[in-house]
Amino acid sequence: MTVLDNRALNRATLARQFLLDRTGAPALDVVAHLCGMQAQEPQEPFAGLWSRVRDFRPATLDGLLTGRHVVRTHLMRRTVHLVTAADALAWRSRHDTMLRRRVLTTYRRELAGLDPDEVAAAGREVMADGRPRTMAELVDALAVRRPAPPRRALGELLVAALIPMAQLPPRGLWRTKAGVRNLPLATWLGRDIAPLPADGSDPAGQALVRRYLAAFGPATSADLRAWCGLAGLPAAVDAVRGELVAFRDERGRQLLDLPDAPRPDPGTPAPVRFLPAFDNAILGYHDRSRIVDDAHRGLSVAGARVVLVDGRVSATWDATAGATAGTVTVTPLRRLSRSEHAAVIEEGRSLAAFLSDGDSDRVRIDPSAA
């Protein structure tokens, strides 16, 4: 069986994620190909799409959100994702059990003795009037029991698990600060969520396996599970295994992939790329060593924005506010060569211009780092 080393896996990931070459595909198609983008920080997907899509403009994503072509909702790993409307409706039922279990586990003590089905029915009754509500407003409207459980726990159970919700614009629009207002997903999109098949088959799980490998492969089953958080995926993998090819990594673990997916030559040059916080190019794996050193693995979980140099996490970045607003500040994690330094500056200037709507192309590399 062919062995793929870390550099080969790195280049495959970059190619699948449109980080080797920016794509000219429409932003909607890119969001679909990526299986959504993690988006609990509302502005981060803009930088993520800018790094992947040629000539990307923030107004494009704004239009997709207000036009209800993409939606912000709790999905993979119980985190807020920006996904296409079609994927939200097709995948949500498959995620219901995981979402419910994770909230009930997190708030085990606070929600002890509560009947989730009773709470869900009461919440749906409140939301049936079609009026968007904040989590606090939904909890206020709910008289589930006396004494009521802690507000935060009850709100998380309703909004992140029991009732499939969309977070409505202006939340998530370019340069807009707005709180979360929720509306049932089916109400906002005007279409029903696809139910799970009565025969116990798992077409959604099988589709997730194929879609994940298209965007993240080659990958292990553990990587797939870490990306979505779902149980029961081994059966879905087995169901589509005849469509897949297998490799080994340097540690002997089996990697699965689609046969015709891109696997570039490991020597393919990789340009500098600036990734947003919580980018799934990193978080989409259990073993992230193909793109980030173990010493820096925690950066992505902590919400640091990172810079890829030669395809690997080599710096962090931030967009400076205050007196130096419009400046992109880069903090290296290792010593950069002269050519790498120049490439980081060049890409950073383009990012600064994007973030400032053309008002600035200032880049600062922290001289005290690395």
Side-chain angles (χ1 to χ4, degrees):
M1 188 178 292
T2 302
V3 175
L4 300 178
D5 63 18
N6 255 13
R7 189 173 177 89
L9 294 177
N10 175 273
R11 292 315 193 248
T13 293
L14 298 181
R16 313 286 174 95
Q17 292 283 314
F18 303 122
L19 294 170
L20 270 186
D21 294 295
R22 284 183 168 92
T23 179
L28 179 63
D29 293 349
V30 173
V31 173
H33 171 79
L34 297 174
C35 303
M37 305 178 74
Q38 195 159 329
Q40 67 263 46
E41 295 293 336
Q43 295 297 300
E44 299 304 305
F46 289 95
L49 287 171
W50 174 84
S51 287
R52 291 171 164 93
V53 180
R54 287 194 294 273
D55 302 319
F56 173 72
R57 297 290 182 267
T60 301
L61 182 53
D62 282 357
L64 292 175
L65 277 162
T66 57
R68 311 187 191 195
H69 302 291
V70 299
V71 63
R72 293 170 48 83
T73 188
H74 288 87
L75 211 59
M76 282 74 75
R77 306 184 303 278
R78 197 172 73 87
T79 53
V80 176
H81 272 69
L82 177 78
V83 295
T84 67
D87 284 343
L89 295 170
W91 294 350
R92 172 57 203 234
S93 292
R94 184 62 174 82
H95 286 73
D96 277 350
T97 299
M98 178 271 292
L99 294 170
R100 179 182 292 211
R101 181 179 296 123
R102 290 200 173 197
V103 176
L104 291 174
T105 299
T106 300
Y107 297 104
R108 183 183 299 106
R109 293 182 180 179
E110 294 91 335
L111 298 174
L114 204 66
D115 183 341
D117 293 332
E118 178 184 322
V119 173
R124 285 193 294 268
E125 183 177 351
V126 170
M127 299 301 298
D129 62 7
R131 182 167 70 85
R133 287 177 172 83
T134 66
M135 182 189 294
E137 289 169 341
L138 177 55
V139 171
D140 286 342
L142 220 61
V144 178
R145 55 178 294 181
R146 293 290 186 268
R151 294 174 58 84
R152 180 69 186 186
L154 181 59
E156 285 282 341
L157 182 63
L158 285 161
V159 170
L162 297 183
I163 305 175
M165 293 285 201
Q167 295 187 357
L168 305 194
R171 181 76 168 178
L173 299 183
W174 179 241
R175 290 185 168 185
T176 300
K177 293 183 178 180
V180 177
R181 296 181 309 129
N182 303 284
L183 196 66
L185 197 60
T187 303
W188 174 244
L189 297 179
R191 288 173 282 168
D192 290 335
I193 294 170
L196 293 177
D199 62 5
S201 62
D202 189 13
Q206 294 167 25
L208 282 165
V209 172
R210 298 185 188 98
R211 294 278 298 276
Y212 173 78
L213 292 175
F216 297 89
T220 66
S221 295
D223 291 326
L224 170 64
R225 172 69 182 269
W227 165 69
C228 64
L230 295 176
L233 286 175
V237 171
D238 287 342
V240 302
R241 191 176 292 272
E243 306 171 22
L244 308 179
V245 292
F247 304 94
R248 295 282 181 191
D249 66 10
E250 293 175 297
R251 295 167 59 182
R253 294 170 298 188
Q254 185 182 68
L255 301 161
L256 299 175
D257 204 6
L258 303 176
D260 298 326
R263 289 179 289 275
D265 186 288
T268 304
V272 169
R273 290 290 184 256
F274 284 72
L275 298 186
F278 307 111
D279 195 279
N280 275 355
I282 301 174
L283 293 183
Y285 300 96
H286 173 70
D287 180 2
R288 300 169 189 162
S289 63
R290 70 178 67 192
I291 198 167
V292 60
D293 294 340
D294 285 343
H296 303 135
R297 178 186 173 99
L299 289 174
S300 56
V301 178
R305 299 158 168 164
V306 300
V307 185
L308 302 184
V309 181
D310 192 27
R312 299 193 61 79
V313 173
S314 301
T316 61
W317 70 274
D318 201 0
T320 310
T324 54
T327 299
V328 169
T329 299
V330 177
T331 304
L333 299 171
R334 62 169 177 83
R335 187 175 298 279
L336 302 177
S337 69
R338 286 187 178 183
S339 61
E340 290 173 339
H341 187 283
V344 169
I345 289 290
E346 181 180 4
E347 184 73 357
R349 283 176 174 163
S350 296
L351 175 62
F354 169 76
L355 294 175
S356 66
D357 292 332
D359 290 340
S360 168
D361 66 352
R362 293 187 298 272
V363 180
R364 173 182 175 271
I365 295 188
D366 186 348
S368 66

